[in-house]
Structures are given as structure tokens and as C-alpha cells.
Amino acid sequence: MNTTTTIPPPPAARARPTPPRALAIPKEGEDGLFRQSWYPLCLSSEVAHGQVLGCSFLDGKVVAFRGDDGVVHVTSAYCPHVGADLSVGKVVGNNLRCAFHHWEYNGDGVCEKTGIGDPPPRSACLFVFPSQEHWGIVWVFNGEEPLFDLPDMGYPEDTLEIWPYKFPRPFHSDPWVFAANTPDMQHLKAVHGVKFEHGDPHDLIEWDEWGLRYNVKAKHQGGVPIDWTLGLRGTGFFWRTGTYGDFWCAAVTGFGLPSPGMHQVFGAAMVLKGEHGKERLAKMRGITERTIGEDEQILDTIHYRQGTFTVADRTLAKYLRIVRDFPRAHPSAAFIR
């Protein structure tokens, strides 16, 4: 008996995957340089009068201290005498005194006196970072002079109920990675459930040398109407102001830089003082905690690259060009390591 063997056709050719094309984005610390932006360093409450606080920043250590005049100063952490850590020192008046040999440094970083009375060497100076206190947070600029200012929320701080916070642990990505969420329209819709009223607001973006801002009218989670202005300043600062439902609110989020490849989230939620102020602030606190929770695992595991984009990514792509070209420097390098 003749039998016929049927040979099955070969399986359909499977498309060969190709590695995603990626436009290089310099990492923080690459070539020893960091973006020249404002970064949150600590909460104001962590630096009481007469207190000094050591903090990791960039690729080294700095100190924040508050003297009798109430002003916070941020300087390099190591005494130029023999390198003692000034975070274990003491605030004396408006000066910071080294614990080792009692050399004293003023808010301008200049050594005013030595413990044994020798004249201070002219080169005995600390690196002083530009710093500001706003919304219960101490901000520092990576550079000798700020390139731009932090934005105004539209109301004096003493008219606001403010809840400043610091996320309890850093995330494993550079600060600009979190900042890039703001121009990422796909992210706002997919992760945070924002439903824009009139399509993605790409054409509403106002650009400048140091960031962007745009107005968004949308429905937030639960169908709550929002009318917000969102903005980025540099690569370490996000802000928004506007209405949530029937009341005004604002929020700032800063992305600190404790070490290359890491960022620490700080921020503040705020509402106007008044009859319902504390109740509204509690609502904003809940939204803030929920939003960061929605981003947490993503930001902690991402290997961010500008790969295969669609037309929905045009605002994000333009912001990433700003990130790639952003001024980078490290004038404090010889002082903070």
C-alpha cells in the first residue's frame, strides 16, 4: 500500500527583533559633570536654629546650617585644614565651627578664626552653594550663580496651608527622569488617569531656555475637574497651580541628587488658609501620596532612553532635547569629595 507523507509548510518567518535606537542622554555624573539646576536638599525642619546637617549631594557631601539670624547656608562639608567633617561640628552665632581644631567659617565660607588664634590662611574657604528656603524645603543650585529662579506660586507663603514632605528613600534614576513625566502626555493618561478635555495639549506648551509650562483642563481620577498650570524649571523642579474641583491648590515637587544615578523626592502641597484649609490640604496630601505611589516602581527600575517614539511623544521629545543640551558643570568637585 502506497502512503503519502505530507510535509507541513515551514512556519511563518518571525520578524527579527532589532535593538531600539536610542538617542544618548548624558547621565548625572557622566564625565564628572552634573546639570546646573535647583535641587531640594533637606526639609527646613531638619535644620533648626543652631543646628548643622550633613547631606549627600552630587558625588560628595555638603552641610546645611542655620545660625542665630535664622538663615540657612549650604557649604562643602570638609574643613580645608585637614579634612574634618563639618557635619559633626557646631554652630556658633552665625558661624560653623569645626569639631577638630575649632576653625570657624561664616556664611560666605570664609574662615574667620582658628582655635589656637593663628591668622586664618587666605585659602581656608568652603564652597558655598546658592540656596533658598521655600515651602518648607531648602533648595541648592549646582553652580556658583543660579541660571534661573524658582517660580512663584501666586500667593505669599504666609497665606497658605503648606505640607512639606520628603519621600523616605531615594529612587534608582536621575532627577530628570522624574521631571520628564510632566511633558509625557502618554504617562499622564496611562498611569495617573488624566482625561484631557480637548486632546493632548502639545500646542499649548510655552517653552523657554530652562523649561516649560502649559495649562491643562481635564478630569482627574474620580472625574474631578482640574484646571492647572504645570511647569518645569530645569531638571530638578516641577510645579503646578490651579483649581481642583472647587478650590485653589498648588504643589511643588523637587528631585534631589544625593548621588549619581539616584534621586530623592521632596515636595509641598499647599492650599489657601481659611475655613476649609486643613481639610483641603489633607485631600491634596492624599493625592500627592497616591501619585508618587503610582510612579514609585516605574522610577525605581527604569533604564530611561529615548527609543521608539510616536506622534504622542512630541512634547516629551522636545523636553529631552533640553535635557541633553542642558548646561552641566561641577565647580564644587574639589571641595565636597
Side-chain angles (χ1 to χ4, degrees):
M1 182 175 64
N2 293 329
T3 60
T4 301
T5 302
T6 302
I7 300 174
R14 182 181 300 175
R16 180 183 296 274
T18 57
R21 293 178 301 168
L23 294 174
I25 302 175
K27 297 178 180 179
E28 296 297 357
E30 189 172 318
D31 303 323
L33 303 175
F34 297 84
R35 287 174 179 81
Q36 292 193 266
S37 194
W38 286 100
Y39 299 98
L41 184 72
C42 61
L43 297 176
S44 295
S45 59
E46 295 181 280
V47 193
H49 279 77
Q51 186 175 358
V52 55
L53 177 72
C55 302
S56 297
F57 184 52
L58 304 178
D59 57 357
K61 187 172 184 178
V62 302
V63 292
F65 68 96
R66 191 189 303 272
D68 290 344
D69 60 5
V71 177
V72 171
H73 301 280
V74 179
T75 72
S76 49
Y78 300 108
C79 180
H81 181 205
V82 295
D85 187 343
L86 294 170
S87 70
V88 299
K90 182 179 181 181
V91 177
V92 179
N94 292 318
N95 288 354
L96 178 57
R97 188 175 74 186
C98 178
F100 202 6
H101 299 99
H102 289 194
W103 288 26
E104 286 190 21
Y105 299 88
N106 63 24
D108 293 324
V110 176
C111 183
E112 291 190 340
K113 60 186 295 189
T114 64
I116 62 171
D118 286 350
R122 294 182 63 184
S123 59
C125 296
L126 308 174
F127 186 90
V128 178
F129 291 86
S131 61
Q132 296 183 14
E133 270 192 279
H134 287 296
W135 318 293
I137 300 168
V138 177
W139 304 84
V140 295
F141 190 87
N142 172 35
E144 297 183 88
E145 296 290 339
L147 300 177
F148 52 89
D149 293 326
L150 293 171
D152 191 308
M153 294 298 107
Y155 292 93
E157 290 188 38
D158 60 5
T159 67
L160 302 175
E161 297 279 2
I162 302 175
W163 169 64
Y165 65 88
K166 176 175 71 173
F167 199 80
R169 67 171 184 85
F171 294 154
H172 291 79
S173 54
D174 282 336
W176 61 263
V177 173
F178 202 148
N181 284 355
T182 298
D184 186 347
M185 307 305 175
Q186 293 196 53
H187 174 84
L188 296 177
K189 294 188 290 187
V191 177
H192 300 307
V194 174
K195 294 180 171 61
F196 299 119
E197 282 190 3
H198 304 293
D200 294 356
H202 298 291
D203 296 328
L204 301 179
I205 309 295
E206 299 174 25
W207 299 91
D208 63 45
E209 188 177 7
W210 310 116
L212 61 91
R213 60 184 288 163
Y214 64 97
N215 179 256
V216 57
K217 294 183 180 181
K219 292 291 194 300
H220 208 250
Q221 294 180 22
V224 179
I226 58 174
D227 186 348
W228 287 347
T229 296
L230 310 179
L232 290 176
R233 299 302 291 160
T235 59
F237 184 92
F238 159 82
W239 58 275
R240 64 165 172 77
T241 63
T243 55
Y244 178 86
D246 61 353
F247 65 89
W248 180 91
C249 62
V252 299
T253 310
F255 319 114
L257 215 177
S259 62
M262 306 289 283
H263 75 267
Q264 180 89 46
V265 178
F266 290 75
M270 56 197 87
V271 299
L272 291 169
K273 289 181 178 178
E275 182 181 357
H276 301 290
K278 295 189 183 303
E279 173 188 334
R280 291 169 175 171
L281 186 63
K283 184 176 290 186
M284 289 301 98
R285 175 172 180 168
I287 292 170
T288 297
E289 291 172 336
R290 182 185 71 202
T291 302
I292 294 176
E294 290 165 349
D295 284 325
E296 180 179 356
Q297 286 189 317
I298 299 168
L299 296 170
D300 211 26
T301 58
I302 193 169
H303 288 192
Y304 204 108
R305 59 188 173 220
Q306 185 174 346
T308 307
F309 274 19
T310 74
V311 294
D313 296 309
R314 60 189 175 102
T315 297
L316 174 60
K318 186 168 181 177
Y319 178 68
L320 293 180
R321 286 199 295 273
I322 290 177
V323 173
R324 280 196 299 275
D325 297 337
F326 212 81
R328 297 189 302 138
H330 196 356
S332 64
F335 295 84
I336 68 173
R337 296 169 177 166

